[in-house]
Each structure stands twice: as C-alpha cells, then as structure tokens.
Amino acid sequence: EIVLTQSPGTLSLSPGERATLSCRASQSVSGYLAWYQQKPGQAPRLLIYAASSRATDIPDRFSGSGSGTDFTLTISRLEPEDFAMYYCQQYGRSPPFPFGPGTKVDIK
Amino acid sequence: EAQLLESGGGLVQPGGSLRLSCAASGFTFINYAMSWVRQAPGKGPEWVAGVNGGSGSSDYADSVRGRFTASRDNSRNTLYLRMNSLRAEDTAVYYCVKDAFKENGLWDAFDIWGRGTMVAVAS
C-alpha cells in the first residue's frame, strides 16, 4: 500500500510570498496525484489533478509539478484566502487511494 | 451545477448500524464513479469506499472491508453506504465525492464534494 508524506507540517508565510509544499510517495504513483485545499468547517476542494493540471476555476497562482514519487504544489503569491490546509492524494488503477497528512499554511 | 447532498448521519452505539445516503444532481450520475471519504476530528481525509458507475462494482479500504457496503441506485441518482459493526474509530464526517472524469478504467481525483454528514459512535 502506498503511503504519502507531506512536508513541512506547517508553513508560516506572509501574504504575497511564495509557498512550496512537498508530497512524497513510498512508491511510484506515475502522475496520479491530486492536491486539495481545505478550510475550517468546509469540505476539501480539488486544486490540481494529474500532478500538474489545474481544476476548474482554480487561479493560475496555483501550480503543481512532479512525477513518480516526488511532487510539489506551488502558490506563487499568497492571497489571504489561501491560508488553509493542503492535502495530496494518490488515485488511479487500484484502491486504496490514500491522502497525505497535510500541510498547514498559516499567516506569519 | 453538480451537487451532492449527504444524509443519514447521527449518534450510534458501538456495534450498531447506520445507512448514509447521497443525493446527486446536476450531472449524469451513471457516467461517474462515486466514493465515500471520511475525516475524523482533527485528522486528514481517508478514502473509505468507491462504486463504479455502470457496473456498480465496489471496493473498500481495509479498515472497513466486511463491515461497510457501498452501493448506488442510478435510477434515483443516489449513492449509499451501509455501515455495520460500527466502532469508535469510525467516528468522522462522511463525505460523498464524485470522480472528476467519466469512467475510463481508472479511478480519478474527486472534483465535487458534499457538505458531509457526521457519524458519532459512542455509548
């Protein structure tokens, strides 16, 4: 079973700064990697699928990269509404489809 | 606009049962695999079960296999999760989620999430 790890656990930044979040898989997931944003009291929202494709209505300040076992979510310039939890998730051919433990982006 | 609305959560004693429902609207339900994802308080999401669109075949996380049954009624645009032998560790918000793309032999990322229904297992 694939295990996802995310780093850092918490990222403290100021609005306007660049955020770089990492997700590492215990074995290759090819490009079947998604990123979600979750705010308190809300369901997660899909940001990125297939490692680098933005979901519908997601601003272009969000970008994803990587393949195999190492993936990155970059937020080019943090807006106030971007301070939230971020999870990566593996999907594809065979369940289960694990999520990572998350990275919290909070205001410095 | 695609929407999902869960119902059926509540407080149940250990060993008890519960059935969750998810009403789908705004998309052609039969064309998409659907899943249940849960999130325990203060924890990350956990995929629980998925059901293919046309065949209705299902798969499960090891943590619930043999206790939970996921199914769908395509004529009613509704997804179900029957939960038996509930344990304290099943306490979570349960989300109904939709695959991002029409069935193509792969399970996809989840582009639509319901608001969730809370299940609490306690005596």
Side-chain angles (χ1 to χ4, degrees):
Chain A
E1 184 172 323
I2 293 173
V3 176
L4 301 178
T5 56
Q6 292 186 241
S7 61
T10 301
L11 195 53
S12 296
L13 295 168
S14 300
E17 289 193 297
R18 181 184 187 91
T20 303
L21 288 67
S22 175
C23 176
R24 177 165 289 179
S26 58
Q27 58 186 278
S28 177
V29 301
S30 299
Y32 299 122
L33 195 286
W35 290 92
Y36 299 85
Q37 177 194 68
Q38 187 176 32
K39 298 178 180 179
Q42 296 183 16
R45 176 176 71 144
L46 179 65
L47 299 175
I48 300 287
Y49 64 92
S52 60
S53 297
R54 268 188 303 276
T56 302
D57 294 331
I58 301 304
D60 61 6
R61 65 179 180 274
F62 291 92
S63 63
S65 63
S67 64
T69 60
D70 290 294
F71 299 87
T72 300
L73 174 70
T74 301
I75 310 171
S76 59
R77 294 173 309 279
L78 282 164
E79 297 287 343
E81 61 268 28
D82 300 336
F83 293 92
M85 284 292 292
Y86 291 85
Y87 297 98
C88 60
Q89 184 221 359
Q90 176 253 327
Y91 60 94
R93 291 205 175 277
S94 301
F97 303 123
F99 289 80
T103 291
K104 183 179 182 180
V105 178
D106 66 13
I107 299 176
K108 188 173 181 180
Chain B
E1 178 189 4
Q3 290 188 335
L4 301 170
L5 182 61
E6 303 94 339
S7 60
L11 175 63
V12 60
Q13 292 187 337
S17 298
L18 215 52
R19 189 180 83 155
L20 307 183
S21 299
C22 169
S25 61
F27 63 99
T28 305
F29 186 66
I30 194 172
N31 287 348
Y32 295 87
M34 301 289 295
S35 289
W36 290 97
V37 172
R38 68 184 180 185
Q39 190 168 25
K43 303 294 186 181
E46 177 191 14
W47 177 84
V48 171
V51 187
N52 283 311
S55 69
S57 62
S58 55
D59 213 329
Y60 302 91
D62 287 345
S63 57
V64 306
R65 193 185 308 274
R67 300 187 299 123
F68 289 14
T69 302
S71 62
R72 63 194 293 161
D73 184 339
N74 290 331
S75 68
R76 295 176 182 270
N77 290 348
T78 303
L79 179 72
Y80 301 101
L81 185 67
R82 176 68 181 182
M83 304 185 293
N84 295 330
S85 304
L86 282 161
R87 307 167 179 167
E89 54 265 35
D90 296 318
T91 294
V93 174
Y94 283 72
Y95 294 103
C96 170
V97 298
K98 167 188 165 291
D99 262 23
F101 297 99
K102 292 181 182 179
E103 288 195 316
N104 55 7
L106 297 174
W107 299 84
D108 277 306
F110 307 135
D111 68 336
I112 304 296
W113 295 61
R115 298 182 70 173
T117 186
M118 182 69 200
V119 172
V121 184
S123 53

